[in-house]
Amino acid sequence: MESGSTVFLMHGTPGSRLGPKVRPIVLHQLGVRLVCYDRPGYGDSDRRKDRTVADAAEDVRHIADHLGVDTFSVVGRSGGAPHALATAAILGDRVDRVAALVTLAPPDAPDLDWYSGMTDANVRDYSHADNDEAKLIESLRLQADRAKRDPASMLDNLRSQMTRADQSAVRSSTIQGLLTDTYREAMRLGPYGWIDDVLALRREWGFEPGKILQPTLFWHGERDNFAPVEHTLWLARQIENAEVRIQRETAHFGAMGILPTVLGWLTGSGDRPLQPIGPYYANPR
């Protein structure tokens, strides 16, 4: 829609602008103008080698200026969540609200066992980002080549690592089609968006989470083994105006189902509560 409250949606890692979103009729009912774009190196976006998480803020600024949008909200899912937080921290008054779904924490987060509870594949790739960049590049290049030829193979590989909750979340053919479409588009020009995302997430982010002053919502599935829930809890403790929702019996891909509710929170009045879709415990500090 061309009118309504503008919300930027930051896709996951790997991902693209084609990732799972909200049906147009729901966006119309919410009064949301949803803006999705490919981070550098994904889809149609040129690569920006050595980019940082903080660099996403400048991309959003340029897009918002091009669209003639002064203020907006931002939501990020998985690897996109730190980029959404960066946008809020850096663009300040231009961002009304921000939401981070199943986020990772910064690599230097004190008192956080960063890899605890994470899948072996994620531990391997993020460890290579720290210690052997050549191995990371070769590993992701091979995975991206397979995904480019057969996008369903990437979902099959992920499914082998998923909890039961996530397997249930991606069971429908519609969701599987959306995920394979986003992986196909993400790898269309090569693996570089994925490589640069992993490197950026394991390097200095380029902003301080404590600088975020806007109302901030964190949502996480309690059983997440791709980005463990402790990452969200650590980040929430750094931000004064943070609201936290941890959903029981849900995992990483549950973030797809919660998005309509989060969009309602992002565009609601200042005292509008987040309406739950399942059992929660709130604001664990």
Side-chain angles (χ1 to χ4, degrees):
M1 64 186 299
E2 295 300 322
S3 61
S5 300
T6 299
V7 178
F8 281 81
L9 171 61
M10 309 291 210
H11 63 72
T13 300
S16 74
R17 69 193 184 283
L18 301 183
K21 295 185 279 291
V22 177
R23 290 179 298 163
I25 185 61
V26 177
L27 293 175
H28 177 76
Q29 291 168 348
L30 291 170
V32 171
R33 181 192 193 190
L34 193 65
V35 179
C36 309
Y37 73 97
D38 298 321
R39 281 195 295 281
Y42 289 116
D44 285 330
S45 291
D46 294 334
R47 185 185 188 188
R48 182 176 181 178
K49 197 170 185 295
D50 298 322
R51 60 179 165 87
T52 67
V53 171
D55 288 332
E58 194 61 23
D59 294 336
V60 172
R61 188 203 309 270
H62 283 307
I63 296 169
D65 289 348
H66 176 75
L67 296 174
V69 176
D70 292 327
T71 62
F72 45 86
S73 293
V74 187
V75 55
R77 186 166 52 205
S78 188
H83 297 82
L85 294 171
T87 301
I90 294 168
L91 297 190
D93 290 344
R94 293 198 68 174
V95 177
D96 297 321
R97 287 184 166 201
V98 58
L101 315 181
V102 294
T103 188
L104 291 166
D108 56 352
D111 303 317
L112 175 67
D113 186 346
W114 206 87
Y115 291 109
S116 178
M118 192 176 286
T119 65
D120 291 343
N122 275 17
V123 171
R124 179 195 65 221
D125 289 342
Y126 286 122
S127 295
H128 286 339
D130 293 344
N131 304 313
D132 196 333
E133 189 173 322
K135 277 190 177 180
L136 171 70
I137 292 170
E138 180 62 10
S139 172
L140 297 190
R141 184 188 67 79
L142 291 172
Q143 293 180 67
D145 284 347
R146 285 195 298 271
K148 188 175 180 180
R149 295 192 306 270
D150 178 15
S153 67
M154 184 156 187
L155 182 56
D156 290 340
N157 182 50
L158 286 171
R159 196 183 283 115
S160 70
Q161 306 167 53
M162 288 179 183
T163 64
R164 185 175 299 176
D166 270 341
Q167 290 173 358
S168 178
V170 303
R171 184 172 297 155
S172 81
S173 58
T174 299
I175 292 297
Q176 291 176 23
L178 289 169
L179 290 172
T180 53
D181 284 348
T182 194
Y183 297 145
R184 180 188 294 110
E185 180 66 8
M187 311 304 176
R188 183 160 55 83
L189 298 181
Y192 301 107
W194 192 3
I195 290 167
D196 294 340
D197 258 6
V198 171
L199 291 172
L201 290 166
R202 282 300 299 170
R203 292 173 176 168
E204 169 63 42
W205 281 7
F207 73 99
E208 293 294 332
K211 299 291 186 182
I212 298 171
L213 303 178
Q214 300 92 333
T216 304
L217 173 67
F218 289 95
W219 181 94
H220 219 114
E222 185 180 41
R223 297 184 181 276
D224 193 338
N225 64 340
F226 291 96
V229 68
E230 287 76 16
H231 288 241
T232 272
L233 299 179
W234 186 92
L235 270 166
R237 289 193 291 269
Q238 317 309 309
I239 299 171
E240 183 176 352
N241 200 8
E243 180 178 352
V244 184
R245 292 291 183 271
I246 309 301
Q247 188 167 340
R248 300 186 190 277
E249 306 302 326
T250 309
H252 195 72
F253 285 84
M256 297 183 297
I258 194 65
L259 184 57
T261 302
V262 171
L263 291 175
W265 181 88
L266 285 168
T267 58
S269 62
D271 59 354
R272 181 172 180 171
L274 179 69
Q275 298 299 315
I277 62 169
Y280 281 80
Y281 55 90
N283 289 335
R285 292 275 180 166

